[in-house]
Amino acid sequence: MKVLVLTNLFPTPWDPLRGAFNRQQFERLGRRHELHVLTAVDFRERLHGRRGDVQVPGLATDHFVFVCPPRLGRALHAACWLLSLLPQRGRRLRAAGYDCILASWAYPDAVAAGWLARLLGIPYVVKVHGSDLNVQATHALRRPQIAASLRNAAAVVAVSRALAGKAVALGADAARVHALYNGVDGTRFAPGDRTAARTRLGLEDGGGPLLLYVGNLKESKGCLDLLEAFAAMAATQPQARLVYVGEGACRGALLAHARTLGIEAQVRLAGAMPHEALPDWFRAADLLCLPSHNEGVPNVVLEAMACGTPVVATRVGGIPEVVPAHAGRLVPLGDRAALAEALAGATMQAWDHAAIADHARSFSWETNVDRLDAILQQAARRGAAAEALR
């Protein structure tokens, strides 16, 4: 098949680390079909200059500049998305002869992709990830647009059963909604020697547990909740350390609040890391901590478990579907006291790291891509049959 992928969740020269899960999935799908990935780049992001090169073997990649009203008019973003795309790439898209479109992210990407698919006369499949339904679809003017895009899609792929249920609640045909967990690269994410990993990372053995956060530093990911909970835990475990791997708007607030709490010496902000550097961070840590406010299924949870590292996270989205009791502890959203108690308890617990890693092996990219391939092929066949009837 010839498949057009439309998304904002893919590496670009302006954000080379973005959407590592999509890069892994699309690279594997590109070994089976001709895949063209067209990524939306916010015009404000372009102003900051290039930060690296992006080359993905087997994929034809391109981008267009998404121009939209800053701060205002979020309900118009899908229209702006399409009106940005068509003058820049419209002629090329009409001539390409695609069999179907895969839109990864519900708003504005999938909404605009649905309109484009109608213009091109081809089917489209929507992949939803988490806050695109958990947050975006709660807004009155965006919700009907998202709902329409899901109803009219040939299929909807959700990264968890919880998210699949939300798609159905928005009006998607349950028979065309598929829960499909992301995969883990088992050749890269696997158990290893903790001491050796810490040595490679330049982490001295502080004599206490090492807690790890990996993700965007933003409030909705729970990074500030984690800092408060860690401070409570550190009162009884003064040798404990907390490392944040990632960048984001909360970086300054984390540093300032760590100073206020008197734990600045125990907290390290390591910055963003390339995906291939993450395995050693997971192996070095005693726990991965991710107290997100909403989620689909975060890949860092799967990847940490693949390295045999237990997880402490919030009981939101699809996280309870993938973290069994023998692999971690889950706490209610927003309960910092419960989070602090879970962190302290988890650092004292004797974990079966081999069993955790064995559980994570069930999340396979090969299985994931097999199923996604079948979904796309079915959508293309239906689209071709409908076109023949017309």
Side-chain angles (χ1 to χ4, degrees):
M1 292 189 300
K2 194 172 186 180
V3 181
L4 172 63
V5 177
L6 295 171
T7 186
N8 71 85
L9 292 173
F10 196 79
T12 70
W14 296 271
D15 191 355
L17 303 183
R18 186 170 179 81
F21 48 88
N22 270 346
R23 180 184 56 75
Q24 294 176 84
Q25 185 185 58
F26 299 161
E27 183 178 355
R28 288 165 172 81
L29 187 62
R31 297 169 190 163
R32 307 181 182 200
H33 304 288
E34 185 177 349
L35 220 67
H36 294 186
V37 182
L38 184 54
T39 307
V41 179
D42 190 292
F43 74 100
R44 292 161 292 190
E45 193 173 26
R46 286 286 301 270
L47 299 177
H48 299 303
R50 290 174 176 252
R51 295 162 51 192
D53 295 321
V54 175
Q55 294 183 346
V56 183
L59 296 184
T61 60
D62 195 6
H63 68 273
F64 71 96
V65 181
F66 169 38
V67 181
C68 59
R71 294 200 177 104
L72 303 175
R74 292 294 295 272
L76 300 175
H77 277 198
C80 293
W81 200 100
L82 186 61
L83 292 173
S84 298
L85 171 65
L86 290 177
Q88 297 176 58
R89 298 292 185 270
R91 182 177 298 179
R92 187 185 305 173
L93 296 180
R94 292 186 185 95
Y98 293 111
D99 295 296
C100 66
I101 292 174
L102 172 61
S104 180
W105 195 251
Y107 188 87
D109 310 49
V111 173
W115 298 335
L116 177 65
R118 195 172 305 162
L119 288 174
L120 299 179
I122 58 176
Y124 69 100
V125 173
V126 176
K127 185 154 75 100
V128 292
H129 296 269
S131 57
D132 48 351
L133 296 192
N134 294 331
V135 177
Q136 297 280 6
T138 64
H139 294 269
L141 297 179
R142 285 171 245 170
R143 184 180 180 88
Q145 297 180 64
I146 294 170
S149 74
L150 299 180
R151 286 196 306 270
N152 294 325
V156 177
V157 176
V159 299
S160 71
R161 294 195 302 271
L163 205 58
K166 291 201 170 186
V168 172
L170 282 165
D173 181 354
R176 296 187 180 184
V177 176
H178 309 267
L180 182 57
Y181 298 119
N182 279 340
V184 177
D185 183 349
T187 63
R188 176 174 290 170
F189 294 91
D193 185 84
R194 176 176 294 168
T195 301
R198 292 183 179 183
T199 298
R200 287 190 292 268
L201 295 172
L203 295 170
E204 297 180 1
D205 188 354
L210 176 64
L211 280 56
L212 176 69
Y213 170 101
V214 178
N216 291 326
L217 303 184
K218 58 182 183 180
E219 190 170 358
S220 63
K221 286 289 185 180
C223 60
L224 295 172
D225 297 333
L226 175 56
L227 188 69
E228 291 275 359
F230 175 75
M233 171 197 154
T236 57
Q237 297 192 53
Q239 300 303 313
R241 292 173 291 166
L242 171 61
V243 177
Y244 288 90
V245 171
E247 290 288 352
C250 285
R251 179 181 177 85
L254 286 168
L255 289 171
H257 201 43
R259 284 193 295 269
T260 300
L261 293 169
I263 56 172
E264 183 180 11
Q266 295 165 262
V267 177
R268 174 180 171 184
L269 273 61
M273 299 287 169
H275 188 247
E276 58 269 20
L278 294 181
D280 267 347
W281 286 99
F282 293 135
R283 295 179 190 124
D286 292 277
L287 298 172
L288 175 77
C289 314
L290 191 68
S292 293
H293 296 181
N294 66 81
E295 280 292 352
V297 171
N299 253 53
V300 294
V301 167
L302 305 181
E303 291 165 350
M305 292 190 298
C307 294
T309 303
V311 173
V312 172
T314 37
R315 193 177 289 107
V316 297
I319 292 178
E321 299 171 27
V322 301
V323 180
H326 75 268
R329 296 189 176 198
L330 303 181
V331 299
L333 170 62
D335 191 336
R336 293 178 175 178
L339 179 58
E341 183 179 346
L343 294 176
T347 60
M348 303 297 290
Q349 184 170 337
W351 297 96
D352 186 338
H353 300 284
I356 295 172
D358 187 60
H359 162 67
R361 290 190 190 99
S362 63
F363 301 99
S364 157
W365 276 125
E366 287 67 32
T367 300
N368 173 284
V369 173
D370 282 345
R371 289 192 57 201
L372 180 60
D373 186 354
I375 292 165
L376 291 171
Q377 290 203 50
Q378 184 180 51
R381 285 195 299 268
R382 286 176 175 169
E387 183 64 23
L389 288 174
R390 285 196 290 268

